[in-house]
Amino acid sequence: IQLPPEVAACLEGLKARIRKYVLWEGLALAVVVIGLFFWVSLGFDYAVFSVRHLEPPRWLRAGMDLAVLAGLAAVVWLLIVFRVFRSFRAKSLALLLEKRFPELGDRLVTAVELSSQPESRTALTSAMLEQTVLDATAALKNLDLGSVFDRQPLRRAVSAAGVLFVSLVAFAVMSPEVFGRWRAGYLELKDEYWTREFGLVATVLAEPGDRVKQF
């Protein structure tokens, strides 16, 4: 028994939706990692300079950069590449649909399994199985594949990524000097990137009583 085109198209559509879902979720989480690194490193840099009046050591900033790059690489590999380009078995997709839509019964999995088995059945058995496949094909026409997914994790990831991205861009536009200082410290890894102001106040000791007066 050949797998009907409608069933094959439905499984391919579900596969494409899964890949699209994990791709957007992975990209959103990658943006979250970058945004969090920016704000955490910016606050850390300000706190260190406020206390020590010196920039954080270059090796420490380089280590922070490597750590965030490792985290970003893990997100890209595990949450995007590994999940987007993985193979999907037709039976697994059919089981997923039957779990979400109990009205399918076992007809869809049966149709998928029959398509991969040699035909060595009686005429009556073949007729019954063909009717099962036809019933599964008819049931698929009324299914909403979008309802298979729990969209809450994706919404949370996209919302967090949007907030962080907008806040980063807005900060770069409104405070270009501070953003440039961060870029010099954490992207260019300069030794000195904070602006320092120096002044000289001259005084004299005047008589009587060694009074301090400005020169």
Side-chain angles (χ1 to χ4, degrees):
I1 298 176
Q2 295 294 326
L3 192 64
E6 295 86 354
V7 176
C10 180
L11 296 180
E12 286 297 323
L14 179 61
K15 187 190 303 183
R17 285 173 178 263
I18 293 174
R19 286 175 172 164
K20 182 179 179 181
Y21 183 99
V22 299
L23 175 63
W24 281 109
E25 185 182 31
L27 291 175
L29 291 176
V31 173
V32 169
V33 170
I34 296 172
L36 289 177
F37 170 69
F38 171 76
W39 288 112
V40 170
S41 60
L42 184 69
F44 171 78
D45 193 77
Y46 181 82
V48 170
F49 192 82
S50 297
V51 174
R52 302 177 64 240
H53 300 291
L54 291 173
E55 290 84 355
R58 184 178 182 181
W59 63 266
L60 179 58
R61 288 179 278 122
M64 294 173 65
D65 288 346
L66 291 176
V68 74
L69 287 176
L72 193 60
V75 169
V76 171
W77 176 254
L78 296 177
L79 300 183
I80 298 180
V81 176
F82 179 76
R83 296 198 297 172
V84 170
F85 294 102
R86 66 175 298 182
S87 60
F88 294 91
R89 295 176 54 198
K91 183 177 180 180
S92 299
L93 296 172
L95 288 171
L96 178 62
L97 286 175
E98 289 186 351
K99 182 179 180 180
R100 176 61 183 84
F101 303 104
E103 60 269 23
L104 289 175
D106 296 328
R107 292 173 293 183
L108 184 58
V109 172
T110 302
V112 171
E113 289 181 337
L114 291 177
S115 66
S116 60
Q117 295 178 358
E119 296 189 14
S120 57
R121 314 176 186 92
T122 63
L124 178 60
T125 302
S126 297
M128 294 175 61
L129 294 177
E130 287 178 1
Q131 184 61 44
T132 299
V133 173
L134 292 176
D135 292 341
T137 304
L140 288 176
K141 296 179 180 179
N142 300 321
L143 299 184
D144 178 17
L145 295 181
S147 63
V148 174
F149 303 93
D150 179 10
R151 298 189 179 276
Q152 282 300 112
L154 179 60
R155 290 195 186 101
R156 287 194 293 265
V158 171
S159 298
V163 170
L164 287 169
F165 179 77
V166 171
S167 65
L168 195 156
V169 172
F171 183 84
V173 172
M174 298 175 63
S175 302
E177 293 182 1
V178 180
F179 184 80
R181 185 182 69 208
W182 175 86
R183 182 178 64 248
Y186 288 85
L187 299 184
E188 301 173 11
L189 293 176
K190 293 184 177 180
D191 292 326
E192 294 184 359
Y193 50 90
W194 275 81
T195 302
R196 291 167 169 80
E197 296 180 356
F198 300 91
L200 177 63
V201 178
T203 60
V204 296
L205 297 179
E207 294 294 342
D210 292 338
R211 294 172 298 165
V212 177
K213 287 186 175 183
Q214 289 188 356
F215 183 75

